[in-house]
Amino acid sequence: MRDHAAAHEVDEDRADPGLHDVAAEHHDDADDRAGHDDRAGLHAKPGASERGHHGHGEKHVRVAQDLLRFRGERAGFVKAVRDITAQHGARDDLIASREKLELATRAARLGQYDFWPQLDRLDWDDRCRALFGLSPGAPVSYEGSFLAALHPDDRDRVAGLVAGSLDPAGTRTYDAEYRTIGIEDGIERWVHAQGITFFDGDLPLRLIGTVQDVSEEHARQAALRETEQRLRLAVRATNDAIWDWDL
C-alpha cells in the first residue's frame, strides 16, 4: 500500500485519538507537526481518516502517526494504518436506506413518530403533527399531544394498544386506527398507525412507526354504507326484489 502517494481526504470529525508507542511523544505542537509532516511527506493529521486508491479499488483507512524523540531530538516517527473500508461501506448503506425510507414515506404521505417511554419523550415529523392538527415544529408530548388529540370514544382503546405494544410478553408491535380532533384546527381525521417496539431485555426503549391519513377511505366507506341502507329501505317500501346475475 502506498502511504500517501494517492490523493486522500481527511475526516477530522470522525478521527480517533492518535496511537502512542511507549517511546513516542504525540506532536501537539504546531511547529513540530509541520516539520514532521514536511520531512516525512505526510499531510494527514493524527488519527485522521483517509480515502484513496490503494491497490485494488478505493480504500478507506484510518491513520495515526506520532513523532519519536530521543534525548529531546527528533528521531523519527511511527505510523499505524487501519483499513476501515467496511465501516464506511456500512455507513453508506445506512444513509442510502434512510434516504429510501424518506422517499417512500413522502410518496405515501406517511408521518413518522418516535416514542421513548422511559424518557417520556415523543418526536413527530411535521406530517405527523398535521394529522393531529398541529402546525409545523409545534412541541409535542405523549399526554399533551397524542392522547389529548384522540377522539374521546377512541382514547382508552388506543392507549391500551400502545401499552400492549410496550409489553415484552406481547407482540411488540402496534397497529391502530382511530380518530383525532385537531388540537389547533379542530378538524376530525381518521388515522392509521403502525409501529414496532425495541426492547433492552424486557425494558421497552423505543416505539417507532408511521401514521397515515385514511379519512378519505372512511368517507367512501361511510357513503357506501349510507347508499346500501337507502337501497334496503327502498326495497322494503316497494316490496320489490333486486337480482344481480353475473352471466
Side-chain angles (χ1 to χ4, degrees), residues 113-123 142 162-163 165-167 196-200 202-208:
Y113 64 87
D114 192 347
F115 178 44
W116 302 72
Q118 305 305 320
L119 303 176
D120 194 26
R121 168 184 157 190
L122 179 64
D123 296 326
Y142 181 74
V162 173
S165 71
L166 303 179
D167 183 356
I196 183 171
T197 306
F198 293 89
F199 288 77
D200 180 8
D202 289 340
L203 186 68
L205 298 181
R206 299 175 68 185
L207 169 60
I208 61 175

Side-chain angles (χ1 to χ4, degrees), residues 15 22 47 63 69 77 84 94 96 115 127-128 145 156 159 165 171 175-177 182 221 224:
V22 174
V63 178
R69 291 182 179 274
F77 70 93
I84 57 171
L94 178 59
F115 178 44
R127 178 59 183 163
C128 190
S145 304
D156 290 342
S165 71
T171 63
D175 193 330
E177 198 163 279
Q221 292 176 355
L224 179 59

Side-chain angles (χ1 to χ4, degrees), residues 90-104:
R91 184 179 67 179
D92 291 344
D93 289 343
L94 178 59
I95 293 174
S97 297
R98 287 176 176 172
E99 290 176 348
K100 290 179 180 179
L101 176 61
E102 183 67 23
L103 290 174

Side-chain angles (χ1 to χ4, degrees), residues 110 113 173-176 178 192-196 207-212:
L110 297 175
Y113 64 87
T173 60
Y174 170 63
D175 193 330
Y178 49 80
H192 181 209
Q194 293 179 301
I196 183 171
L207 169 60
I208 61 175
T210 60
V211 290
Q212 184 176 24

Side-chain angles (χ1 to χ4, degrees), residues 27 36 44 47 49 68 86 96 99 106 118 132 137 157 181 185-186 203 207 210-211 213 216 222 227 242:
H27 47 81
H36 169 63
S49 296
L68 294 176
E99 290 176 348
R106 287 184 180 180
Q118 305 305 320
F132 287 77
R157 174 179 60 85
I181 307 296
D185 59 21
L203 186 68
L207 169 60
T210 60
V211 290
D213 190 343
E216 293 183 0
T227 299
I242 295 178

